[in-house]
């Protein structure tokens, strides 16, 4: 190519690499190089550009779910819609890294090292390998996690504002006359779970309701949320249950199943609320009271933040608010209904 353009190889490298030093090259020389490139059918090699320190206009997307979410009914699909729309608007192509999908295994160092082929990478998933993410951050590789991860110093993230949304759900239940409310959550320390619990407890405290026994942690919702336990709670005066949304939807599924097995009518005898969206396969059931997670907006916000990091800019994205959803699974507390009937 250098011979065809009548210039040095260094000049070709500067022009095709769009490097800052190319600003000193004349327009005529630049035109000769580009004409020679078109004649020879030259196409830049993204991997070579990456190794040379040039940007490829490629953003990676890596999911820590067992199967990469390509099904339109998958709860992660709206995230990807927002990611794709914002990336296209900003002139980026996407690379989907699927190393986490192999046999459902936890991705190792090799899987995560491949993301360096992109200019930066967006990670999705509740349980991500902290050590590998920390190494990418330490190396200065642009990384954004979709979801709050305060335990990783220096890791950029975008997230939903779960605390005030959870408090609003409690306020709604209190307004319906519920005075004993229990939150069912997974037995882990995921930041999203902690945010929901914090907002839930703030709602109870604001209403002057008891906090003791108001949170039930379980690592096995199917086994722990039995009809017998539900009836026992009901006998103690609990009239409403709130579950958190997770990747599996296990808490909500188990709670719904226990209510049905106990023969309790929802919402006439017992109210339920969900801090998030129901699993897609339960879409045919009554819409749960709770809030909706702005997945598409979160995906777009994550791309904006990642693009800024790739450009070397200081940037931050505010927490994205969640919209309250009245739903059909919460009604007046049975005690409140009886009190009204006797007045």
């Amino acid at each position: 190519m250098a011979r065809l353009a009548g210039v040095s190889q260094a000049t070709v490298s500067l022009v095709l690499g769009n490097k800052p030093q190319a600003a000193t090259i004349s327009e005529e020389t630049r035109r000769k190089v580009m004409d020679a490139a078109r004649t020879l059918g030259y196409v830049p090699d993204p991997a070579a550009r990456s190794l040379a320190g040039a940007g490829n206009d490629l953003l990676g997307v890596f999911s820590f779910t067992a199967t990469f979410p390509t099904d339109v009914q998958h709860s992660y699909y709206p995230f990807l819609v927002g990611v794709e729309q914002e990336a296209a608007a900003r002139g980026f192509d996407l690379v989907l890294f699927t190393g986490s999908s192999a046999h459902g295994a936890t991705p190792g160092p090799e899987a995560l090292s491949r993301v360096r082929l992109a200019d930066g990478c967006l990670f999705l998933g509740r349980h991500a390998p902290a050590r590998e993410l920390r190494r990418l951050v330490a190396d200065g590789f642009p990384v954004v996690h979709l979801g709050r991860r305060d335990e990783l110093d220096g890791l950029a993230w975008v997230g939903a504002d779960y605390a005030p949304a959870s408090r609003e759900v409690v306020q709604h239940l209190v307004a319906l006359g519920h005075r004993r409310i229990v939150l069912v959550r997974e037995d882990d320390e995921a930041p999203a779970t902690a945010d929901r619990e914090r907002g839930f407890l703030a709602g109870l405290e604001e209403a002057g309701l008891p906090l003791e026994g108001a949170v039930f942690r379980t690592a096995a919702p199917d086994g722990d949320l039995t009809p017998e336990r539900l009836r026992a709670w009901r006998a103690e005066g609990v009239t409403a249950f709130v579950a958190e949304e997770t990747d599996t939807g296990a808490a909500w599924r188990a709670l719904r199943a226990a209510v049905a097995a106990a023969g309790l009518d929802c919402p006439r005898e017992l109210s339920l609320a969900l801090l998030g969206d129901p699993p897609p396969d339960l879409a045919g059931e009554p819409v749960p009271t709770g809030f909706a997670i702005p997945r598409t907006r979160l995906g777009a916000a994550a791309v904006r933040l990642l693009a800024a990091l790739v450009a070397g800019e200081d940037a931050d994205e505010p927490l994205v608010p969640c919209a309250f959803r009245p739903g059909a699974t919460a009604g007046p507390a049975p005690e409140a209904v009886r009190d009204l009937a006797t007045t």
Side-chain angles (χ1 to χ4, degrees), residues 94-121:
L94 296 176
V95 180
L96 306 183
F97 293 96
T98 57
S100 59
S101 300
H103 311 295
T106 300
E110 301 81 9
L112 264 67
S113 67
R114 288 194 290 272
V115 306
R116 295 175 187 268
L117 290 172
D119 299 334
C121 193

Side-chain angles (χ1 to χ4, degrees), residues 57-75:
D57 292 332
L58 296 177
L59 299 182
V61 181
F62 197 107
S63 169
F64 293 104
T65 54
T67 304
F68 198 84
T70 54
D71 185 344
V72 296
Q73 295 300 315
H74 196 289
S75 62

Side-chain angles (χ1 to χ4, degrees), residues 59 86 90 92 142 144 301-313 315:
L59 299 182
E86 189 68 23
R90 293 176 175 273
F92 287 98
V144 172
V303 171
R304 287 195 297 270
L305 180 55
L306 184 57
L309 295 178
V310 168
E313 302 171 357

Side-chain angles (χ1 to χ4, degrees), residues 65-257:
T65 54
T67 304
F68 198 84
T70 54
D71 185 344
V72 296
Q73 295 300 315
H74 196 289
S75 62
Y76 277 3
Y77 183 79
F79 286 133
L80 295 178
V81 171
V83 167
E84 191 277 334
Q85 291 175 344
E86 189 68 23
R90 293 176 175 273
F92 287 98
D93 287 317
L94 296 176
V95 180
L96 306 183
F97 293 96
T98 57
S100 59
S101 300
H103 311 295
T106 300
E110 301 81 9
L112 264 67
S113 67
R114 288 194 290 272
V115 306
R116 295 175 187 268
L117 290 172
D119 299 334
C121 193
L122 169 64
F123 291 93
L124 300 90
R126 183 181 179 89
H127 301 291
R131 184 174 63 180
E132 304 307 331
L133 284 179
R134 190 174 290 113
R135 180 176 294 115
L136 289 173
V137 172
D139 290 345
F141 182 75
V143 172
V144 172
H145 190 273
L146 212 162
R148 185 167 74 81
R149 299 198 67 87
D150 286 350
E151 74 275 20
L152 291 181
D153 187 38
L155 175 65
W157 54 269
V158 297
D161 206 357
Y162 291 129
S166 299
R167 186 176 67 250
E168 186 175 5
V169 171
V170 174
Q171 291 170 341
H172 178 73
L173 294 173
V174 170
L176 291 172
H178 296 279
R179 296 297 178 264
R180 288 290 306 279
I181 308 171
V182 169
L183 169 66
V184 179
R185 54 157 289 182
E186 287 197 7
D187 189 22
D188 65 19
E189 301 304 327
T193 297
D195 285 347
R196 287 178 171 97
E197 180 177 332
R198 180 162 50 85
F200 172 81
L201 293 176
L204 292 185
E205 188 172 16
E206 182 181 84
L209 300 185
L211 303 182
E212 185 176 356
V215 178
F216 179 70
R217 298 175 62 131
T218 172
D222 287 340
D224 291 339
L225 293 174
T226 63
E228 293 74 23
R229 183 184 291 273
L230 210 62
R231 292 193 192 97
W233 268 320
R234 187 66 190 86
E236 294 171 1
V238 178
T239 59
F241 289 89
V242 178
E244 67 158 338
E245 178 198 346
T246 62
D247 294 347
T248 63
W252 181 248
R253 293 177 192 277
L255 195 54
R256 293 285 292 172

